[in-house]
Amino acid sequence: MNAPIGIFDSGIGGLTVAKALVERLPRESLYYVGDTAHMPYGDKSVDSLKEYAAGISKRFVDAGCKAVVVACNSASSNALDTVKAAMGAHVPVIDVVQPVVNWVAQYHSGKQVALVGTRATVDSGIYQAKLAEANVGTKVRATPLLASAIEEGFHNGTISEAVVNAYFADQWTAGTTALILACTHYPLAMDKIIEMLNEPLNVVDGPAIVADALAEALAHLGLGAPEDSPLGRHRFEVTDWTGSFAQGAKHIMQSDLNLQEVGWTSP
Ligand code: DGL
């Protein structure tokens, strides 16, 4: 069988990326880990994020993953080197920051963009620094409650709606030309965010951009599934069973997943 692509996040957020990958690369098989035992990642220290990333990478190594997608901005911003070191130089590791920065640099150079993310992402300063290098200004706000609210309640909307209201109602994004949702959970609340904004903003489609970056890397390295191979078969694991993950995953992937709880093992 064609080797799988490892993909992880703290919870359901990375499934927004997984969905884009399945649409873009239907013949690839995914091995998804939702590290629900440690959700939310956004409030964790850099050391903890590195430890979680190392533990999950070990699973990907054991499963023979041919590529990895760090489908989490908090981990991409703080623990990318850990994943790369664990996987080894022969395994391409795609993060969710650089492809989005490249895209924004291409279309918004000389402009100012708004960005929301977890504390871990915003405090790392990685987007601000990379975008400044590309001559893109940033207005940034940490929105720490949003990922947990979405993980818990995006499907009925009431909790995430209240949180979106608290973070966007003051219209601080005014004057920017695009909005980067720098947390993979946030696309699930995108409609609510757009509704809240007085000025329409171009919301950057991170999952699709990341799927393109993976497709390009696989093609470049000759690692893509052959054209005549069957559709990919996916494996979904969580480190702690949560009803919200199970429900959310079904909603996002629009199918029943054979979800396995595997527990957490340290690296
Ligand atoms: N979805 C993740 C991110 O992109 C993590 C959110 C969280 O667990 O705080 O940052």
Side-chain angles (χ1 to χ4, degrees):
M1 198 187 89
N2 193 23
I5 293 163
I7 168 167
F8 78 97
D9 181 42
S10 59
I12 58 170
L15 293 173
T16 59
V17 179
K19 185 155 195 282
L21 297 186
V22 173
E23 282 166 8
R24 179 75 173 75
L25 298 163
R27 304 194 183 286
E28 302 295 345
S29 297
L30 304 183
Y31 172 17
Y32 187 95
V33 176
D35 190 9
T36 42
H38 299 123
M39 159 88 208
Y41 271 11
D43 299 339
K44 300 298 188 300
S45 67
V46 175
D47 283 349
S48 294
L49 291 172
K50 285 182 188 291
E51 189 195 334
Y52 308 153
I56 293 166
S57 300
K58 190 172 175 304
R59 287 182 189 194
F60 292 158
V61 170
D62 292 347
C65 290
K66 64 177 179 182
V68 167
V69 177
V70 182
C72 169
N73 285 265
S74 308
S76 292
S77 305
N78 293 285
L80 185 61
D81 288 351
T82 305
V83 181
K84 286 186 172 170
M87 298 311 300
H90 61 293
V91 176
V93 177
I94 307 296
D95 67 290
V96 289
V97 176
Q98 193 61 52
V100 167
V101 166
N102 295 346
W103 189 92
V104 172
Q106 199 177 341
Y107 296 104
H108 294 270
S109 181
K111 308 267 170 52
Q112 190 175 45
V113 301
L115 180 145
V116 282
T118 65
R119 271 203 197 100
T121 298
V122 168
D123 290 355
S124 76
I126 191 165
Y127 274 101
Q128 297 91 316
K130 284 178 182 281
L131 287 167
E133 257 173 48
N135 191 31
V136 180
T138 43
K139 264 189 182 179
V140 173
R141 178 171 280 186
T143 49
L145 287 179
L146 199 47
S148 299
I150 291 168
E151 182 89 11
E152 282 302 320
F154 79 93
H155 51 276
N156 67 28
T158 50
I159 303 169
S160 46
E161 199 171 305
V163 178
V164 166
N165 188 23
Y167 287 136
F168 290 93
D170 64 356
Q171 305 299 326
W172 63 275
T173 58
T176 61
T177 54
L179 174 64
I180 300 176
L181 301 178
C183 170
T184 52
H185 279 73
Y186 297 177
L188 296 165
M190 189 161 74
D191 293 349
K192 295 260 175 310
I193 295 170
I194 290 172
E195 250 172 52
M196 189 62 62
L197 301 175
N198 292 340
E199 275 180 41
L201 265 185
N202 173 359
V203 180
V204 180
D205 188 354
I209 292 167
V210 171
D212 282 345
L214 175 67
E216 215 172 282
L218 293 179
H220 179 68
L221 297 166
L223 287 174
E227 294 276 306
D228 58 353
S229 51
L231 293 180
R233 296 182 59 184
H234 313 306
R235 170 170 158 192
F236 293 88
E237 292 179 357
V238 284
T239 52
D240 192 17
W241 182 269
T242 65
S244 54
F245 186 99
Q247 262 183 311
K250 192 173 167 184
H251 174 87
I252 298 162
M253 302 306 288
Q254 281 156 16
S255 64
D256 268 318
L257 312 176
N258 180 17
L259 187 61
Q260 309 283 332
E261 184 191 338
V262 292
W264 169 249
T265 39
S266 33

mmCIF file of all heavy atoms in Angstrom, residues 98-127:
data_model
loop_
_atom_site.group_PDB
_atom_site.id
_atom_site.type_symbol
_atom_site.label_atom_id
_atom_site.label_comp_id
_atom_site.label_asym_id
_atom_site.label_seq_id
_atom_site.Cartn_x
_atom_site.Cartn_y
_atom_site.Cartn_z
ATOM 1 N N GLN A 98 4.236 28.698 6.641
ATOM 2 C CA GLN A 98 5.000 29.182 5.475
ATOM 3 C C GLN A 98 4.170 29.237 4.181
ATOM 4 O O GLN A 98 4.234 30.246 3.462
ATOM 5 C CB GLN A 98 6.251 28.299 5.286
ATOM 6 C CG GLN A 98 7.259 28.903 4.313
ATOM 7 C CD GLN A 98 7.805 30.257 4.776
ATOM 8 O OE1 GLN A 98 8.276 30.385 5.899
ATOM 9 N NE2 GLN A 98 7.706 31.273 3.923
ATOM 10 N N PRO A 99 3.359 28.208 3.864
ATOM 11 C CA PRO A 99 2.577 28.304 2.624
ATOM 12 C C PRO A 99 1.630 29.509 2.627
ATOM 13 O O PRO A 99 1.447 30.170 1.607
ATOM 14 C CB PRO A 99 1.792 26.985 2.586
ATOM 15 C CG PRO A 99 2.584 26.044 3.438
ATOM 16 C CD PRO A 99 3.183 26.893 4.523
ATOM 17 N N VAL A 100 1.054 29.799 3.794
ATOM 18 C CA VAL A 100 0.125 30.937 3.887
ATOM 19 C C VAL A 100 0.899 32.257 3.759
ATOM 20 O O VAL A 100 0.464 33.188 3.064
ATOM 21 C CB VAL A 100 -0.680 30.864 5.214
ATOM 22 C CG1 VAL A 100 -1.405 32.175 5.500
ATOM 23 C CG2 VAL A 100 -1.671 29.705 5.157
ATOM 24 N N VAL A 101 2.053 32.330 4.396
ATOM 25 C CA VAL A 101 2.895 33.540 4.273
ATOM 26 C C VAL A 101 3.252 33.758 2.797
ATOM 27 O O VAL A 101 3.152 34.877 2.283
ATOM 28 C CB VAL A 101 4.167 33.406 5.142
ATOM 29 C CG1 VAL A 101 5.195 34.470 4.768
ATOM 30 C CG2 VAL A 101 3.816 33.504 6.621
ATOM 31 N N ASN A 102 3.633 32.688 2.095
ATOM 32 C CA ASN A 102 3.996 32.821 0.681
ATOM 33 C C ASN A 102 2.823 33.365 -0.136
ATOM 34 O O ASN A 102 2.987 34.225 -0.992
ATOM 35 C CB ASN A 102 4.419 31.465 0.090
ATOM 36 C CG ASN A 102 5.693 30.941 0.729
ATOM 37 O OD1 ASN A 102 6.417 31.672 1.415
ATOM 38 N ND2 ASN A 102 5.982 29.664 0.523
ATOM 39 N N TRP A 103 1.643 32.843 0.165
ATOM 40 C CA TRP A 103 0.450 33.256 -0.587
ATOM 41 C C TRP A 103 0.137 34.732 -0.303
ATOM 42 O O TRP A 103 -0.122 35.509 -1.228
ATOM 43 C CB TRP A 103 -0.733 32.363 -0.184
ATOM 44 C CG TRP A 103 -1.949 32.556 -1.042
ATOM 45 C CD1 TRP A 103 -2.277 31.856 -2.158
ATOM 46 C CD2 TRP A 103 -2.984 33.530 -0.846
ATOM 47 N NE1 TRP A 103 -3.455 32.330 -2.674
ATOM 48 C CE2 TRP A 103 -3.910 33.353 -1.894
ATOM 49 C CE3 TRP A 103 -3.218 34.519 0.093
ATOM 50 C CZ2 TRP A 103 -5.057 34.139 -2.016
ATOM 51 C CZ3 TRP A 103 -4.356 35.315 -0.030
ATOM 52 C CH2 TRP A 103 -5.260 35.120 -1.074
ATOM 53 N N VAL A 104 0.182 35.094 0.969
ATOM 54 C CA VAL A 104 -0.143 36.486 1.345
ATOM 55 C C VAL A 104 0.904 37.441 0.767
ATOM 56 O O VAL A 104 0.578 38.536 0.282
ATOM 57 C CB VAL A 104 -0.250 36.623 2.887
ATOM 58 C CG1 VAL A 104 -0.384 38.077 3.306
ATOM 59 C CG2 VAL A 104 -1.443 35.820 3.404
ATOM 60 N N ALA A 105 2.164 37.013 0.772
ATOM 61 C CA ALA A 105 3.240 37.854 0.218
ATOM 62 C C ALA A 105 2.977 38.129 -1.261
ATOM 63 O O ALA A 105 3.244 39.220 -1.761
ATOM 64 C CB ALA A 105 4.584 37.159 0.396
ATOM 65 N N GLN A 106 2.421 37.129 -1.944
ATOM 66 C CA GLN A 106 2.161 37.283 -3.379
ATOM 67 C C GLN A 106 1.011 38.261 -3.655
ATOM 68 O O GLN A 106 1.075 39.044 -4.593
ATOM 69 C CB GLN A 106 1.801 35.904 -3.939
ATOM 70 C CG GLN A 106 1.953 35.818 -5.430
ATOM 71 C CD GLN A 106 1.636 34.392 -5.899
ATOM 72 O OE1 GLN A 106 1.641 33.430 -5.131
ATOM 73 N NE2 GLN A 106 1.343 34.263 -7.167
ATOM 74 N N TYR A 107 -0.023 38.221 -2.826
ATOM 75 C CA TYR A 107 -1.230 39.000 -3.149
ATOM 76 C C TYR A 107 -1.441 40.251 -2.289
ATOM 77 O O TYR A 107 -2.311 41.064 -2.612
ATOM 78 C CB TYR A 107 -2.479 38.096 -3.050
ATOM 79 C CG TYR A 107 -2.447 36.985 -4.064
ATOM 80 C CD1 TYR A 107 -2.131 35.678 -3.689
ATOM 81 C CD2 TYR A 107 -2.683 37.243 -5.411
ATOM 82 C CE1 TYR A 107 -2.070 34.651 -4.621
ATOM 83 C CE2 TYR A 107 -2.626 36.224 -6.357
ATOM 84 C CZ TYR A 107 -2.319 34.944 -5.961
ATOM 85 O OH TYR A 107 -2.264 33.934 -6.898
ATOM 86 N N HIS A 108 -0.698 40.396 -1.218
ATOM 87 C CA HIS A 108 -0.964 41.538 -0.326
ATOM 88 C C HIS A 108 0.302 42.322 0.027
ATOM 89 O O HIS A 108 0.349 42.997 1.055
ATOM 90 C CB HIS A 108 -1.676 41.051 0.946
ATOM 91 C CG HIS A 108 -3.045 40.512 0.672
ATOM 92 N ND1 HIS A 108 -4.180 41.292 0.691
ATOM 93 C CD2 HIS A 108 -3.454 39.274 0.320
ATOM 94 C CE1 HIS A 108 -5.231 40.553 0.367
ATOM 95 N NE2 HIS A 108 -4.816 39.315 0.145
ATOM 96 N N SER A 109 1.311 42.225 -0.805
ATOM 97 C CA SER A 109 2.553 42.956 -0.534
ATOM 98 C C SER A 109 2.262 44.457 -0.506
ATOM 99 O O SER A 109 1.478 44.969 -1.310
ATOM 100 C CB SER A 109 3.577 42.615 -1.620
ATOM 101 O OG SER A 109 4.759 43.290 -1.344
ATOM 102 N N GLY A 110 2.856 45.148 0.462
ATOM 103 C CA GLY A 110 2.647 46.591 0.590
ATOM 104 C C GLY A 110 1.350 46.936 1.312
ATOM 105 O O GLY A 110 1.020 48.104 1.494
ATOM 106 N N LYS A 111 0.607 45.921 1.737
ATOM 107 C CA LYS A 111 -0.677 46.148 2.423
ATOM 108 C C LYS A 111 -0.557 45.717 3.891
ATOM 109 O O LYS A 111 0.470 45.182 4.315
ATOM 110 C CB LYS A 111 -1.778 45.311 1.762
ATOM 111 C CG LYS A 111 -1.879 45.474 0.259
ATOM 112 C CD LYS A 111 -2.888 46.542 -0.066
ATOM 113 C CE LYS A 111 -2.894 46.956 -1.544
ATOM 114 N NZ LYS A 111 -3.021 45.862 -2.481
ATOM 115 N N GLN A 112 -1.653 45.892 4.606
ATOM 116 C CA GLN A 112 -1.701 45.408 5.983
ATOM 117 C C GLN A 112 -2.788 44.344 6.090
ATOM 118 O O GLN A 112 -3.895 44.545 5.585
ATOM 119 C CB GLN A 112 -2.023 46.559 6.925
ATOM 120 C CG GLN A 112 -1.848 46.173 8.380
ATOM 121 C CD GLN A 112 -2.039 47.351 9.312
ATOM 122 O OE1 GLN A 112 -2.975 48.120 9.144
ATOM 123 N NE2 GLN A 112 -1.179 47.464 10.296
ATOM 124 N N VAL A 113 -2.464 43.226 6.721
ATOM 125 C CA VAL A 113 -3.461 42.166 6.884
ATOM 126 C C VAL A 113 -3.741 41.947 8.373
ATOM 127 O O VAL A 113 -2.904 42.267 9.217
ATOM 128 C CB VAL A 113 -2.997 40.826 6.242
ATOM 129 C CG1 VAL A 113 -2.735 40.994 4.754
ATOM 130 C CG2 VAL A 113 -1.773 40.255 6.945
ATOM 131 N N ALA A 114 -4.934 41.438 8.662
ATOM 132 C CA ALA A 114 -5.295 41.112 10.046
ATOM 133 C C ALA A 114 -5.022 39.622 10.280
ATOM 134 O O ALA A 114 -5.096 38.817 9.342
ATOM 135 C CB ALA A 114 -6.769 41.409 10.276
ATOM 136 N N LEU A 115 -4.686 39.294 11.500
ATOM 137 C CA LEU A 115 -4.404 37.885 11.825
ATOM 138 C C LEU A 115 -4.939 37.574 13.215
ATOM 139 O O LEU A 115 -4.733 38.334 14.155
ATOM 140 C CB LEU A 115 -2.895 37.649 11.785
ATOM 141 C CG LEU A 115 -2.400 36.227 12.109
ATOM 142 C CD1 LEU A 115 -1.184 35.887 11.262
ATOM 143 C CD2 LEU A 115 -2.062 36.047 13.592
ATOM 144 N N VAL A 116 -5.644 36.448 13.314
ATOM 145 C CA VAL A 116 -6.044 35.946 14.627
ATOM 146 C C VAL A 116 -5.463 34.553 14.801
ATOM 147 O O VAL A 116 -5.374 33.776 13.849
ATOM 148 C CB VAL A 116 -7.581 35.891 14.813
ATOM 149 C CG1 VAL A 116 -8.151 37.262 15.109
ATOM 150 C CG2 VAL A 116 -8.283 35.274 13.603
ATOM 151 N N GLY A 117 -5.061 34.255 16.029
ATOM 152 C CA GLY A 117 -4.497 32.934 16.305
ATOM 153 C C GLY A 117 -4.501 32.680 17.800
ATOM 154 O O GLY A 117 -4.975 33.508 18.592
ATOM 155 N N THR A 118 -3.977 31.537 18.161
ATOM 156 C CA THR A 118 -3.872 31.218 19.588
ATOM 157 C C THR A 118 -2.749 32.062 20.199
ATOM 158 O O THR A 118 -1.944 32.663 19.484
ATOM 159 C CB THR A 118 -3.515 29.735 19.787
ATOM 160 O OG1 THR A 118 -2.202 29.514 19.258
ATOM 161 C CG2 THR A 118 -4.517 28.815 19.114
ATOM 162 N N ARG A 119 -2.665 32.034 21.503
ATOM 163 C CA ARG A 119 -1.567 32.758 22.181
ATOM 164 C C ARG A 119 -0.216 32.209 21.749
ATOM 165 O O ARG A 119 0.723 32.950 21.520
ATOM 166 C CB ARG A 119 -1.690 32.605 23.698
ATOM 167 C CG ARG A 119 -2.531 33.646 24.305
ATOM 168 C CD ARG A 119 -2.197 33.811 25.792
ATOM 169 N NE ARG A 119 -3.299 34.520 26.381
ATOM 170 C CZ ARG A 119 -4.280 33.955 27.083
ATOM 171 N NH1 ARG A 119 -4.274 32.655 27.318
ATOM 172 N NH2 ARG A 119 -5.250 34.676 27.560
ATOM 173 N N ALA A 120 -0.135 30.877 21.666
ATOM 174 C CA ALA A 120 1.156 30.258 21.307
ATOM 175 C C ALA A 120 1.614 30.730 19.936
ATOM 176 O O ALA A 120 2.803 30.985 19.717
ATOM 177 C CB ALA A 120 1.018 28.730 21.328
ATOM 178 N N THR A 121 0.688 30.866 19.013
ATOM 179 C CA THR A 121 1.042 31.305 17.654
ATOM 180 C C THR A 121 1.382 32.788 17.642
ATOM 181 O O THR A 121 2.417 33.198 17.111
ATOM 182 C CB THR A 121 -0.134 31.015 16.690
ATOM 183 O OG1 THR A 121 -0.343 29.606 16.658
ATOM 184 C CG2 THR A 121 0.155 31.515 15.290
ATOM 185 N N VAL A 122 0.512 33.587 18.228
ATOM 186 C CA VAL A 122 0.720 35.044 18.210
ATOM 187 C C VAL A 122 1.998 35.402 18.980
ATOM 188 O O VAL A 122 2.827 36.182 18.506
ATOM 189 C CB VAL A 122 -0.523 35.753 18.804
ATOM 190 C CG1 VAL A 122 -0.239 37.222 19.084
ATOM 191 C CG2 VAL A 122 -1.697 35.614 17.837
ATOM 192 N N ASP A 123 2.195 34.790 20.137
ATOM 193 C CA ASP A 123 3.381 35.121 20.948
ATOM 194 C C ASP A 123 4.687 34.660 20.298
ATOM 195 O O ASP A 123 5.745 35.215 20.579
ATOM 196 C CB ASP A 123 3.277 34.496 22.355
ATOM 197 C CG ASP A 123 2.204 35.175 23.189
ATOM 198 O OD1 ASP A 123 1.631 36.182 22.706
ATOM 199 O OD2 ASP A 123 1.916 34.690 24.303
ATOM 200 N N SER A 124 4.619 33.659 19.431
ATOM 201 C CA SER A 124 5.854 33.216 18.757
ATOM 202 C C SER A 124 6.372 34.314 17.822
ATOM 203 O O SER A 124 7.560 34.362 17.508
ATOM 204 C CB SER A 124 5.599 31.940 17.944
ATOM 205 O OG SER A 124 4.907 32.242 16.738
ATOM 206 N N GLY A 125 5.473 35.171 17.351
ATOM 207 C CA GLY A 125 5.865 36.277 16.462
ATOM 208 C C GLY A 125 6.257 35.815 15.064
ATOM 209 O O GLY A 125 6.722 36.620 14.248
ATOM 210 N N ILE A 126 6.027 34.556 14.763
ATOM 211 C CA ILE A 126 6.542 34.018 13.500
ATOM 212 C C ILE A 126 5.851 34.630 12.278
ATOM 213 O O ILE A 126 6.508 34.994 11.295
ATOM 214 C CB ILE A 126 6.457 32.466 13.499
ATOM 215 C CG1 ILE A 126 7.225 31.882 12.325
ATOM 216 C CG2 ILE A 126 5.043 31.956 13.494
ATOM 217 C CD1 ILE A 126 7.482 30.390 12.447
ATOM 218 N N TYR A 127 4.539 34.758 12.328
ATOM 219 C CA TYR A 127 3.834 35.361 11.185
ATOM 220 C C TYR A 127 4.258 36.824 11.027
ATOM 221 O O TYR A 127 4.512 37.284 9.913
ATOM 222 C CB TYR A 127 2.315 35.322 11.407
ATOM 223 C CG TYR A 127 1.624 34.053 10.987
ATOM 224 C CD1 TYR A 127 1.258 33.102 11.929
ATOM 225 C CD2 TYR A 127 1.295 33.820 9.656
ATOM 226 C CE1 TYR A 127 0.590 31.944 11.558
ATOM 227 C CE2 TYR A 127 0.619 32.671 9.271
ATOM 228 C CZ TYR A 127 0.269 31.736 10.225
ATOM 229 O OH TYR A 127 -0.399 30.588 9.846
#
